[in-house]
Amino acid sequence: MSPVFRRESEYTFKIYSNEEERMHIHVICGGHEAKYWLEPRVELAKKGGSAMLITSGRRKS
């Protein structure tokens, strides 16, 4: 099964069920990937390439 959860504009959201117990999501945009923890609060876990922050539906590098 593909880990792609959703595509929204230039963003691809992926969830890998066998990766870790702590809930998180991978966000890919413009060749960069970031991992966000979803619990206990949403926060950036790690990034690849430039920092990728998602705010108000816009990407900031």
Side-chain angles (χ1 to χ4, degrees), residues 4 11 15 18 20 29 34-37 44 54 57 60:
V4 173
Y11 299 99
I15 296 173
N18 62 345
E20 297 179 41
C29 180
K35 178 178 173 181
Y36 289 89
W37 296 120
L44 181 64
I54 300 173
K60 293 185 177 183

Side-chain angles (χ1 to χ4, degrees), residues 21-54:
E21 283 190 36
R22 188 173 174 190
M23 289 180 58
H24 65 280
I25 193 163
H26 296 259
V27 182
I28 298 98
C29 180
H32 301 286
E33 183 170 354
K35 178 178 173 181
Y36 289 89
W37 296 120
L38 300 177
E39 57 181 25
R41 62 188 176 137
V42 176
E43 65 180 307
L44 181 64
K46 73 175 186 177
K47 60 183 180 178
S50 300
M52 182 169 48
L53 302 176
I54 300 173

